[in-house]
Amino acid sequence: MINKHSITFKFSLLLSVGSLLFLGSILLLSKTFVTQQYEKNEHEKLQSMIDNVAPTLGINLSYNFTQAVEESAQDLYQQSQILYVHIFDKEASIVSLNRTKQTFSQYKKAKHFILRQSLLDPVTHQEVAIIEVVYSREHFTKTITYFYNLLILVGGLFIFLLFFFIYFIQRSIAPFKHLITAMQNFNPNTPKPFDLVGDQKSEVGLILHASNQMIESINSYIQTQNQLQETLQKREQHLSNAQRMAHVGSWEYTLGTDKFEASDEMLRILGIKKQHFFPLWNNFLNYIHEEDKEYVVSAINEIVKTGGQLNIKYRCIKGNGDYIDIHTQAKVRKKLHKEDRLIGVSMDVSEQNRSQQLIEKLAYYDPLTGLANRSLFKNRLDKTIITSKRHKNQFAVLFIDLDHFKNINDSLGHMVGDALLKEVASIFLELLRDEDTVSRLGGDEFTILIPSYNSMQGLEELARKILTRINGRHSIGKHELYISLSMGISCYPQHGENSDTLIKNADTAMYQAKELGRNNFKFYQTQMGNHLTHELELEQDFRRAVEALQEFKLYYQPKMDFKTLKISGAEALIRWEHPTKGLLFPDSFIPLAESSGLIIKLGDWIIEEGIRQLQIWQQGCKTPLQLSINLSAQQFQDESLIPTIERLIHHYAVEPHLLEFEITESISMNNVSDNIITMNALKSLGVKIAIDDFGTGYSSLAYLKQFPIDTLKIDQSFIRDMLEDDDDKVIASTIISMSSALGLKTVAEGVETLQHQHLLQEMQCDTAQGYYYAKAINAKEFIEFAYLHRVLS
């Protein structure tokens, strides 16, 4: 069946019609042109004949040479194609020759070639006669007929060739039908090769071959795309799993529209089920905390304008109504001729924020009272100095010390003393403004920063208010305690222009208040020198004592092993038996040793005296006792430390593994790389290393893993209150669990009750020390104590 819409049919029809029109036009034009041209030629031929005899005839006629005229006419008549010759003048016919009986008019009607011309006298140029000649058309007709037959033959041949060409084209393009069928049947889901056959020497064959190759390439591409799609799905699944494990969600917002797409983990973070979430930008914004929404939108608009990166934190409301902290990072992705998109990742940092707040609390806040510690107080004081200097403001520093607090600690124990400190701290916070800073420097010393005041009278009223509120009876548990405080005040800028000077002068004024009977306050005055004199006298006495090394004694705080419930060792603690001031604790002279540069000499004496005592224990010990010795920051950085310890270990022949050196957490985190070198050098001697006061500093777990340490000592501030304070209990438990995971031993300081011991045993703590077992005692008392516990023989 002929397909009238096929290219073959249309092409053949167009070619046929065009060819026929062209052939007809050629025939028509040929007939007209050839006929006219041939007729013209015949006329010119006849004219030429007449022109040849006309002059002769004209002469003969002018002289009446009739015979000659007849001969000339006869010569013309001899031409076979001349049918008629007639010469005549006005009077009569001169010559008349006719091959047929037709008249001149009949010849003319028969469309023979007719010529009628005047014959002139060559002398006078007057007409002497007229000649009529008829030239036969028969030869012309035969020639034209032959030409027409030839044209018809050529036309027929052309038509034959035309149909042959059409047939050839149809045969040639027939394979395209197979190609069309194969393309119509092609299914990208189940791609198959075409396998079309054709002679590759022909263009059609090359097209079929190219089609086979194209389909092979398409099939290969489809297979590759399917593999890529499968790989992409796997990666998307892996990404989804990774986001779920990392708690990181991704999202994409098409700018200028409301289109918003979020990953499964992003929806999980927001607590939204996928089927309940409409992927619209405004829907997502509804989950942002109302107070943070404007900030988030403003930040996004800013990076859209500038092309920067978004890095913000804000709060969101989960589907269940809980608030969470979100950290988002995003950037604008711009594409030519496409909509710009904002692509971002978000994660729930609520737990991290809580951990960070806990770390900052440990680093910058006093763990007992929750007040700012010395570091935070000094930081805020430095900032206040900068601000006040710029704006020419004045502010005040209050230095406070509780009167006779040591008596409460010694008589009722640290638990009661700590509870009292908490009570005092809460009173300070109650009396002061939010912009004021209250700090506990340590022990019973507090400082207060008043960043602005109107008059000295106002400061005096505040000081009296604090004195009045503190002075009196305070119910601490079952105890009724009466306390008071002494306060010194320094003002900026008249009493100092830097933080150290302001604190020192407030401290000096506080000592002046104590000397004047306590329960009082004093502003700093330049003539106040008693406190400085006291410090100077103490420093001179200390220098003499270090020079002689006769007034210092080592006391030993026993350590209890929770597994055996026996004494496992002791911590060496130095005491100064001052000739007039009595027994002094390290807090009163170690700062002097460090500021005067005598700490190295004193520290060397402590190390040697401790190792000498360890030798005594080692010789009379049933089970080995371990001795812990504290190292100051200057000692730890001293180049002679390692050679000194190595020399003393060999000199006294003690087992190095029974010797442990303690450094504080804050010391360990300064110059970490150098500290690790020093620790490794100590470990090479075979001694143990402990981190003291762990939990009060700002250590990095990443560095902690690198330290070659053996023990973590939990600061006593966490141990004492963990029976009442769940936060302290969690911190202590966490430190013990972490130590166990790192392969470290733990020592709990400040154990004062049996309940403390039982709780620490439940936490699987290794060792403890505190008043519950024994306070720090001298070497003789320690030997007696060890005998009681059947450690020494």
Side-chain angles (χ1 to χ4, degrees):
M1 184 177 179
I2 298 176
N3 183 3
K4 295 181 180 181
H5 300 284
S6 67
I7 295 178
T8 305
F9 175 78
K10 293 179 180 179
F11 178 75
S12 300
L13 181 61
L14 179 63
L15 185 62
S16 300
V17 173
S19 299
L20 292 175
L21 290 174
F22 175 75
L23 180 60
S25 300
I26 291 296
L27 291 175
L28 182 60
L29 291 174
S30 297
K31 175 186 175 184
T32 303
F33 177 75
V34 172
T35 302
Q36 291 177 351
Q37 190 65 34
Y38 200 80
E39 285 181 349
K40 180 180 178 182
N41 290 341
E42 291 299 311
H43 276 291
E44 289 177 352
K45 184 177 179 182
L46 178 58
Q47 183 67 54
S48 178
M49 290 179 184
I50 299 301
D51 290 343
N52 288 334
V53 298
T56 304
L57 289 173
I59 295 172
N60 292 331
L61 286 171
S62 63
Y63 289 101
N64 292 320
F65 295 151
T66 304
Q67 182 65 34
V69 171
E70 290 179 357
E71 289 176 359
S72 296
Q74 191 64 40
D75 289 339
L76 180 62
Y77 188 67
Q78 293 298 320
Q79 300 289 332
S80 61
Q81 293 180 5
I82 299 298
L83 298 179
Y84 174 80
V85 178
H86 182 209
I87 300 173
F88 61 94
D89 58 13
K90 295 179 180 180
E91 297 176 355
S93 175
I94 302 172
V95 177
S96 181
L97 301 173
N98 191 359
R99 294 186 190 278
T100 68
K101 296 180 179 181
Q102 294 182 14
T103 66
F104 182 80
S105 297
Q106 289 176 330
Y107 279 125
K108 187 176 182 181
K109 188 176 182 180
K111 295 186 179 180
H112 289 287
F113 298 105
I114 305 298
L115 182 60
R116 184 174 184 171
Q117 183 175 323
S118 296
L119 297 176
L120 303 177
D121 183 344
V123 178
T124 63
H125 299 291
Q126 293 182 356
E127 183 182 286
V128 293
I130 296 173
I131 184 170
E132 291 179 346
V133 180
V134 176
Y135 189 81
S136 176
R137 194 179 182 87
E138 181 179 357
H139 181 265
F140 169 76
T141 302
K142 289 180 179 180
T143 301
I144 291 302
T145 301
Y146 174 77
F147 177 73
Y148 284 171
N149 291 336
L150 182 61
L151 281 179
I152 291 171
L153 178 62
V154 171
L157 180 61
F158 180 81
I159 292 173
F160 172 77
L161 292 175
L162 174 63
F163 282 101
F164 178 77
F165 180 68
I166 293 173
Y167 171 75
F168 175 76
I169 290 176
Q170 289 179 338
R171 286 292 303 271
S172 298
I173 66 176
F176 284 119
K177 295 181 180 179
H178 301 294
L179 175 60
I180 293 171
T181 301
M183 294 179 69
Q184 289 174 340
N185 295 332
F186 179 74
N187 187 351
N189 296 322
T190 56
K192 296 179 181 179
F194 278 2
D195 293 333
L196 300 174
V197 180
D199 184 5
Q200 294 190 25
K201 295 180 180 180
S202 67
E203 289 80 356
V204 175
L206 290 174
I207 292 175
L208 296 179
H209 179 67
S211 298
N212 289 334
Q213 290 181 328
M214 180 187 70
I215 289 302
E216 288 179 3
S217 299
I218 293 175
N219 291 341
S220 176
Y221 175 78
I222 291 174
Q223 291 175 356
T224 302
Q225 290 299 309
N226 289 338
Q227 293 173 355
L228 289 175
Q229 184 68 21
E230 184 178 350
T231 302
L232 181 61
Q233 290 176 350
K234 289 182 180 179
R235 290 183 177 178
E236 287 179 348
Q237 185 60 43
H238 291 163
L239 176 61
S240 178
N241 293 338
Q243 288 185 357
R244 186 170 59 256
M245 289 185 288
H247 304 296
V248 176
S250 60
W251 50 268
E252 182 177 304
Y253 166 47
T254 303
L255 300 176
T257 71
D258 202 24
K259 185 179 179 181
F260 178 78
E261 297 178 7
S263 67
D264 292 343
E265 182 60 19
M266 187 69 222
L267 298 180
R268 190 202 65 77
I269 290 174
L270 295 175
I272 312 169
K273 292 184 178 180
K274 193 169 186 178
Q275 59 270 27
H276 296 159
F277 181 75
F278 293 98
L280 299 176
W281 176 245
N282 286 328
N283 287 348
F284 171 70
L285 293 179
N286 289 335
Y287 286 94
I288 299 177
H289 193 286
E290 200 63 36
E291 295 177 2
D292 297 343
K293 187 180 296 184
E294 183 178 352
Y295 160 67
V296 173
V297 173
S298 176
I300 290 175
N301 291 337
E302 181 65 23
I303 71 158
V304 170
K305 291 180 182 178
T306 61
Q309 291 191 349
L310 183 71
N311 191 343
I312 58 174
K313 293 181 179 180
Y314 52 93
R315 293 166 294 172
C316 278
I317 308 173
K318 295 182 67 174
N320 60 4
D322 293 341
Y323 289 101
I324 57 174
D325 297 324
I326 295 292
H327 180 201
T328 290
Q329 292 179 296
K331 62 187 293 188
V332 177
R333 182 75 57 84
K334 295 187 176 182
K335 288 191 176 181
L336 190 63
H337 306 308
K338 290 187 177 181
E339 295 173 323
D340 296 341
R341 294 175 298 162
L342 183 65
I343 300 175
V345 292
S346 301
M347 64 184 299
D348 182 357
V349 293
S350 304
E351 190 62 34
Q352 294 181 18
N353 287 349
R354 283 191 287 269
S355 300
Q356 185 66 24
Q357 290 169 2
L358 178 59
I359 291 173
E360 290 179 357
K361 182 178 179 181
L362 295 176
Y364 296 114
Y365 293 88
D366 175 46
L368 175 64
T369 62
L371 299 177
N373 61 11
R374 181 188 298 271
S375 176
L376 181 57
F377 181 81
K378 192 173 184 301
N379 179 271
R380 291 184 179 177
L381 178 55
D382 289 336
K383 290 181 178 178
T384 303
I385 291 173
I386 294 172
T387 303
S388 299
K389 187 176 295 184
R390 183 184 302 120
H391 299 289
K392 301 186 182 308
N393 293 338
Q394 55 185 1
F395 65 87
V397 174
L398 283 58
F399 200 108
I400 298 172
D401 185 87
L402 301 184
D403 298 330
H404 304 299
F405 178 76
K406 185 176 181 298
N407 295 338
I408 296 174
N409 253 356
D410 291 344
S411 60
L412 301 178
H414 286 286
M415 291 185 67
V416 176
D418 288 349
L420 178 59
L421 292 174
K422 290 181 180 180
E423 171 75 8
V424 171
S426 66
I427 293 173
F428 287 156
L429 293 175
E430 177 186 333
L431 296 176
L432 295 170
R433 303 169 300 180
D434 292 339
E435 60 265 32
D436 301 332
T437 298
V438 185
S439 161
R440 179 184 175 225
L441 299 185
D444 60 337
E445 291 183 336
F446 297 86
T447 53
I448 299 174
L449 171 62
I450 308 297
S452 63
Y453 64 89
N454 295 324
S455 63
M456 298 296 288
Q457 182 180 357
L459 277 180
E460 291 181 4
E461 290 177 358
L462 174 63
R464 288 193 181 92
K465 186 187 296 183
I466 294 174
L467 285 172
T468 302
R469 184 71 174 79
I470 294 297
N471 185 26
R473 185 179 63 181
H474 298 269
S475 298
I476 306 298
K478 61 182 180 180
H479 303 284
E480 298 291 329
L481 304 178
Y482 291 85
I483 62 169
S484 63
L485 60 81
S486 299
M487 180 192 307
I489 305 173
S490 64
C491 300
Y492 174 89
Q494 57 266 42
H495 299 152
E497 296 187 0
N498 61 70
S499 57
D500 291 337
T501 302
L502 288 167
I503 294 173
K504 177 176 70 67
N505 289 342
D507 184 22
T508 300
M510 184 271 295
Y511 271 98
Q512 181 70 19
K514 279 188 178 294
E515 290 179 2
L516 294 176
R518 295 181 172 83
N519 191 23
N520 196 0
F521 71 90
K522 285 294 178 183
F523 285 92
Y524 175 76
Q525 297 176 353
T526 54
Q527 63 267 30
M528 291 180 176
N530 293 339
H531 176 54
L532 297 179
T533 301
H534 169 78
E535 284 190 346
L536 183 60
E537 290 176 354
L538 187 64
E539 182 177 347
Q540 296 301 322
D541 292 343
F542 179 73
R543 288 182 180 274
R544 287 192 294 271
V546 172
E547 187 68 27
L549 291 175
Q550 297 295 319
E551 298 176 4
F552 297 105
K553 296 290 185 292
L554 286 188
Y555 278 54
Y556 302 93
Q557 174 126 49
K559 292 183 180 180
M560 175 66 71
D561 187 332
F562 278 149
K563 293 181 180 178
T564 62
L565 292 181
K566 292 184 178 181
I567 301 302
S568 61
E571 178 182 357
L573 303 172
I574 190 170
R575 299 289 187 265
W576 181 13
E577 294 180 347
H578 193 278
T580 59
K581 300 181 184 298
L583 188 67
L584 299 181
F585 288 81
D587 289 347
S588 62
F589 60 85
I590 290 298
L592 282 176
E594 292 178 334
S595 62
S596 63
L598 297 174
I599 189 65
I600 302 298
K601 184 175 182 179
L602 180 62
D604 289 347
W605 178 85
I606 294 172
I607 294 173
E608 182 168 7
E609 180 64 16
I611 292 178
R612 186 188 66 79
Q613 187 62 51
L614 181 62
Q615 181 193 46
I616 296 173
W617 295 347
Q618 189 172 294
Q619 292 172 350
C621 190
K622 291 181 179 179
T623 56
L625 288 177
Q626 185 183 67
L627 179 66
S628 297
I629 299 175
N630 291 283
L631 295 177
S632 70
Q634 293 183 33
Q635 275 184 286
F636 192 67
Q637 296 168 2
D638 183 42
E639 295 180 354
S640 65
L641 175 66
I642 305 301
T644 298
I645 294 174
E646 184 177 18
R647 175 179 58 80
L648 293 174
I649 288 174
H650 290 304
H651 177 74
Y652 289 101
V654 297
E655 294 292 335
H657 70 274
L658 297 177
L659 194 59
E660 182 179 66
F661 289 95
E662 297 182 8
I663 59 174
T664 63
E665 184 180 13
S666 57
I667 293 175
S668 69
M669 293 309 298
N670 290 324
N671 300 320
V672 173
S673 57
D674 292 340
N675 289 346
I676 292 176
I677 295 175
T678 303
M679 290 181 190
N680 285 327
L682 279 173
K683 291 293 291 184
S684 67
L685 301 179
V687 302
K688 306 291 185 182
I689 300 176
I691 299 295
D692 196 13
D693 299 337
F694 187 77
T696 60
Y698 199 2
S699 62
S700 167
L701 296 181
Y703 287 130
L704 192 62
K705 292 193 300 182
Q706 300 178 35
F707 291 157
I709 58 177
D710 304 280
T711 305
L712 291 181
K713 295 189 70 175
I714 308 173
D715 188 72
Q716 59 185 347
S717 61
F718 302 119
I719 303 301
R720 287 175 183 162
D721 297 334
M722 68 180 182
L723 297 178
E724 294 83 17
D725 193 325
D726 290 337
D727 287 342
D728 286 345
K729 184 191 300 183
V730 170
I731 292 173
S733 177
T734 301
I735 294 174
I736 293 170
S737 299
M738 180 186 66
S739 300
S740 177
L742 294 174
L744 305 177
K745 291 185 177 299
T746 48
V747 176
E749 298 180 295
V751 177
E752 299 183 353
T753 66
L754 181 61
Q755 289 83 358
H756 282 109
Q757 175 177 307
H758 287 165
L759 184 56
L760 287 168
Q761 285 177 319
E762 290 177 5
M763 295 179 181
Q764 298 184 347
C765 183
D766 299 301
T767 311
Q769 60 187 81
Y771 285 169
Y772 178 68
Y773 307 111
K775 63 180 181 179
I777 49 182
N778 60 34
K780 181 180 178 181
E781 292 172 332
F782 182 83
I783 291 175
E784 295 174 353
F785 184 83
Y787 276 134
L788 292 175
H789 288 78
R790 300 182 180 181
V791 175
L792 293 175
S793 59

